[in-house]
Amino acid sequence: MQQLKITAVLTIGMCLVYLLIYSTVSYTTLFRRPSILAAQISRHHNKTRGDIIVSVQKNKDSSVIQPGSKHSRQEANIINRNKTTPNKRNTERIKQMLKRVPYNAPEILIKSQERRFDASVGEDALGSTFPPRKPYKGDFQQVDVRIFIYSAIYQIANSSVRALILVPEPFKPVSFFCILKRSTSHLGHRIKGQFQHIPPSRWGVYKNRCGFVHCPVPPNSYPEFISVLTARMSSPLNVLAVNYPGPPYNRLTRCYPAVHGNFTDVNTLVTALETSRYFGTDKFLFYNYSIPEDINKVLLHYEREGIVEMRNWKLPFPPDQIHYWGQMASIHDCVFSQLGVAKYVLLADIDEIIVPKKNVSIADLADRLLNTRKPTSQQNVYGALMFQNAFFILYENETKYMFSEKKDAKKFKMNAFLHTNRSRLNPPNYRSKLLVKPEAVNLIHVHLMEEFLPGWEMYVVSPEVALMHHYREGKDNQSLNPWSQDFTFIKYSSSLIPKIKDRLISLQSELGIQI
C-alpha cells in the first residue's frame, strides 16, 4: 500500500511538471511570436525606400506591400497590430531617416529602381505635367574625384536632361549614371547616362576640361531634380534642380564669359550694355567668378530691371587649371540654357561690339539672313551667323573726326566712339564671333561652330553688312596691316551717347559709383 501511494504521488508530480512546462512554452510562444514579427517588420521598414511600405514574413516568403495594393484582412490586421511607430517620436525619427535615404541608398536598391524604371511612369514617379520656368540654378557640386557638375537642363526635342560637368585632363572615360527625382527626398530612378566631351580650347594645355552627361527621360515625365554619379559610387554627392524652358521669351540673348577681378571699367561696361540693347539684345547673361564691387553694383542694378542675369561661377579649382576661367563650359551652358527661351544667342566679350552697316537691329538682321535659302536647297538650312573680326586700338590718339556728341564721349570715357583706326579684317573662323539658333548647336567653340546638329550650316556675314569691332587696350599681334579709318560706329553716336550718358549719371546718383 505504501508503495502504491508513492507511485501515485510521483505520477501526479510528473503530470504537474509536464503541465507547467507546456504552459510555459505556450505562454512564451504566445507573447514572443508577435514581437519576432514586429522585429522582422521593423528590419524591413528600415530598408524602406520610396514607395516600399513594409514587408511581412509569411510562410517563409516575403511579400511587399505597396501603396494602393490589395491585402487580406488578416495581413492588414498584422500590419496594424505591429506598427513600428507607436508614438510620435518614433514616427518623426523614421520620417527623418527616409529623408536621408536618397543620399545613402545602397547600390542594390538603386539597381532595383533601375530595373523597374520603365514601369514607374505611373504612381511612383516623376511629375507628369511640364513644370513652369523658374530662376536658373547652377552651382558646382562634386560627382567623383576631380569631377564636378554645374547645371542640369531639360531638352524638349529629345526628352532628356543635359548635365554640364568638369572632368580632369586627360580623362579616362567612366560610366555615368543619372538619378531622376521628383523631389530632393525622392529616391529617384537610376538610368545610364551618355558622356559627351566638349573639345578643348586649342590654346594651351590645362588640367581640366568640360563635357556633358546626357540623361534620357521617359516621355511625359518631368524630373524636378537630378543627381549624377559614376559607376564606382554607391550614392550621389550632388543634387541639382532641373532647369526648364518657358516664358518670357527673348529674341536675342547675349552671353559673356566669366567676369573676374581684372575687369573694373564701369564706363566700358555700361557702353557695351546700352549699345547692345540699342542693337536689339533683350537679355545679358554674366558668369560671376569674382566681380569687383562697382561692377557688381551695376550688374545687380540691371538685374533688378530684368535686363541682366548673373550666374554663380565659383570654379572648384584654381582658374589657371582650365582655359580662361572655364569659358568653353560657360558658353555651352549659356547656349543650351536658352533652348525654348531665346530665338537667338550671341556670344561675344565686353570689348566686342557687333556693328551693323544698315539694319539697326541684330535680331532683325538674323531674321533676314538666317531665313535666306541656300541656292542648292529648298529649305532653310542656316543655323548661325559668323561675324568677322577687326581690331580697333585704344592706346592710340583719339580720332580727329568731329561729331556733335564727341565732348560727352570724352567726358564719360566712351572709348569706342573715339577710336576709328582699325586693322585689316581677319578671315572667317579666325577671331570671329557667332550668333546661333540654340536648336542648331551640337558643340560650339569660342570663334567658330565645332559641330552643328544634322541639317544646319553656317552663314558668314559680309563685312559690308555687319562687322565685329574688337577694341583692344594693348597691341595685338593678330592685328593685321594695312590699317584704315572706319567711322561706321560714329553714325550711331547721336542716338547712343545720350542714352549711355543718362544711364551713367543715374548709376552714379543711385549707387554712388565713380564714372
Side-chain angles (χ1 to χ4, degrees):
M1 177 64 79
Q2 185 68 26
Q3 186 176 359
L4 287 175
K5 289 182 179 180
I6 293 173
T7 302
V9 170
L10 290 175
T11 302
I12 294 171
M14 290 178 66
C15 290
L16 290 174
V17 168
Y18 281 120
L19 181 60
L20 180 62
I21 293 173
Y22 178 79
S23 299
T24 303
V25 171
S26 299
Y27 178 88
T28 304
T29 304
L30 179 64
F31 288 94
R32 186 167 176 254
R33 183 173 177 78
S35 63
I36 293 173
L37 184 58
Q40 291 169 341
I41 293 174
S42 179
R43 283 197 299 272
H44 284 289
H45 195 92
N46 287 337
K47 294 181 181 178
T48 298
R49 297 296 187 269
D51 57 351
I52 300 175
I53 304 302
V54 69
S55 182
V56 180
Q57 186 74 16
K58 180 181 178 183
N59 297 327
K60 297 184 179 180
D61 294 324
S62 178
S63 62
V64 177
I65 301 176
Q66 298 179 344
S69 60
K70 296 180 180 179
H71 313 291
S72 69
R73 182 173 300 176
Q74 181 181 3
E75 289 172 329
N77 289 337
I78 291 174
I79 295 171
N80 291 331
R81 189 170 66 241
N82 297 286
K83 287 183 178 179
T84 57
T85 55
N87 54 53
K88 291 184 179 180
R89 183 177 59 187
N90 287 342
T91 301
E92 291 304 316
R93 180 180 61 81
I94 292 175
K95 285 182 179 179
Q96 293 301 318
M97 177 195 73
L98 294 176
K99 286 182 180 179
R100 294 194 296 270
V101 162
Y103 305 98
N104 302 286
E107 184 77 6
I108 187 170
L109 289 178
I110 299 177
K111 286 184 176 178
S112 116
Q113 289 281 8
E114 180 183 359
R115 286 195 297 270
R116 69 184 186 85
F117 176 68
D118 292 334
S120 68
V121 226
E123 303 175 346
D124 174 33
L126 311 173
S128 58
T129 57
F130 196 86
R133 184 183 175 194
K134 299 176 183 177
Y136 190 85
K137 291 184 179 180
D139 192 20
F140 288 107
Q141 299 182 40
Q142 191 165 15
V143 174
D144 203 332
V145 178
R146 293 190 62 197
I147 302 177
F148 301 90
I149 186 171
Y150 177 74
S151 61
I153 301 170
Y154 183 80
Q155 316 276 275
I156 297 176
N158 56 7
S159 186
S160 67
V161 173
R162 180 192 295 262
L164 177 69
I165 65 170
L166 303 182
V167 297
E169 176 68 17
F171 180 60
K172 183 179 179 181
V174 298
S175 294
F176 286 96
F177 291 90
C178 313
I179 301 179
L180 310 177
K181 304 168 178 282
R182 65 168 177 262
S183 66
T184 55
S185 60
H186 180 210
L187 172 61
H189 305 287
R190 173 180 161 127
I191 56 172
K192 187 171 177 57
Q194 182 67 41
F195 177 69
Q196 179 187 22
H197 246 318
I198 295 174
S201 64
R202 299 191 180 96
W203 301 289
V205 178
Y206 299 90
K207 293 182 179 180
N208 297 279
R209 62 186 294 188
C210 51
F212 291 113
V213 175
H214 296 271
C215 308
V217 177
N220 303 316
S221 296
Y222 304 102
E224 293 281 347
F225 298 89
I226 188 173
S227 296
V228 172
L229 67 162
T230 58
R232 73 174 189 170
M233 304 289 288
S234 61
S235 59
L237 302 174
N238 57 80
V239 57
L240 284 87
V242 177
N243 296 288
Y244 283 86
Y249 296 104
N250 305 314
R251 285 188 74 199
L252 178 59
T253 295
R254 180 161 178 164
C255 303
Y256 290 108
V259 181
H260 46 83
N262 295 347
F263 181 71
T264 58
D265 191 340
V266 169
N267 299 63
T268 294
L269 173 64
V270 173
T271 299
L273 293 176
E274 294 299 326
T275 299
S276 195
R277 289 183 68 200
Y278 179 78
F279 288 143
T281 302
D282 302 303
K283 191 84 171 184
F284 302 88
L285 299 187
F286 285 85
Y287 288 79
N288 179 4
Y289 177 77
S290 60
I291 298 180
E293 183 178 359
D294 282 354
I295 297 294
N296 190 53
K297 287 180 180 179
V298 171
L299 290 177
L300 287 174
H301 186 86
Y302 276 101
E303 191 170 48
R304 288 190 290 269
E305 294 181 2
I307 298 168
V308 161
E309 177 184 327
M310 286 197 288
R311 295 179 179 175
N312 174 41
W313 196 249
K314 305 298 183 187
L315 291 169
F317 41 70
D320 60 358
Q321 293 185 7
I322 193 168
H323 167 69
Y324 201 72
W325 286 268
Q327 183 178 19
M328 293 298 293
S330 65
I331 62 177
H332 279 87
D333 179 76
C334 192
V335 168
F336 290 117
S337 73
Q338 296 305 290
L339 277 165
V341 176
K343 188 175 184 180
Y344 306 119
V345 176
L346 176 61
L347 299 157
D349 296 341
I350 294 175
D351 60 358
E352 296 172 334
I353 300 175
I354 310 298
V355 181
K357 303 287 184 174
K358 298 176 182 178
N359 293 66
V360 172
S361 170
I362 301 294
D364 288 345
L365 179 65
D367 283 342
R368 179 167 65 85
L369 297 181
L370 292 177
N371 288 322
T372 302
R373 290 185 177 180
K374 193 176 181 181
T376 59
S377 174
Q378 295 300 312
Q379 296 181 343
N380 173 21
V381 296
Y382 294 113
L385 300 179
M386 176 178 286
F387 298 99
Q388 290 180 245
N389 165 285
F391 288 102
F392 289 71
I393 303 303
L394 299 179
Y395 61 81
E396 293 183 339
N397 293 330
E398 295 173 359
T399 181
K400 295 180 180 179
Y401 185 85
M402 297 303 298
F403 53 98
S404 57
E405 292 77 20
K406 189 173 183 179
K407 183 178 180 180
D408 282 338
K410 294 179 68 172
K411 179 180 179 180
F412 292 96
K413 304 171 189 174
M414 303 178 199
N415 293 324
F417 293 98
L418 300 174
H419 296 273
T420 56
N421 195 27
R422 74 161 171 84
S423 69
R424 192 179 77 193
L425 304 183
N426 281 299
N429 295 321
Y430 192 73
R431 302 303 293 265
S432 308
K433 288 299 170 72
L434 305 182
L435 178 149
V436 305
K437 292 181 176 179
E439 67 272 16
V441 177
N442 186 24
L443 294 170
I444 198 168
H445 212 278
V446 178
H447 300 298
L448 49 86
M449 183 65 69
E450 189 73 37
E451 185 180 342
F452 278 109
L453 288 173
W456 297 99
E457 294 183 17
M458 180 68 70
Y459 188 106
V460 179
V461 180
S462 167
E464 301 302 317
V465 176
L467 181 65
M468 196 262 286
H469 292 204
H470 193 167
Y471 295 91
R472 301 289 284 183
E473 291 283 356
K475 188 173 182 178
D476 195 304
N477 293 330
Q478 296 170 355
S479 301
L480 304 176
N481 290 318
W483 292 78
S484 60
Q485 292 294 315
D486 187 331
F487 305 110
T488 307
F489 190 47
I490 290 180
K491 77 177 185 178
Y492 298 108
S493 60
S494 60
S495 300
L496 271 172
I497 289 178
K499 291 179 180 294
I500 300 168
K501 173 185 173 182
D502 289 346
R503 175 66 81 165
L504 285 168
I505 292 173
S506 173
L507 290 172
Q508 184 179 41
S509 174
E510 293 184 38
L511 306 178
I513 60 175
Q514 294 298 316
I515 59 172

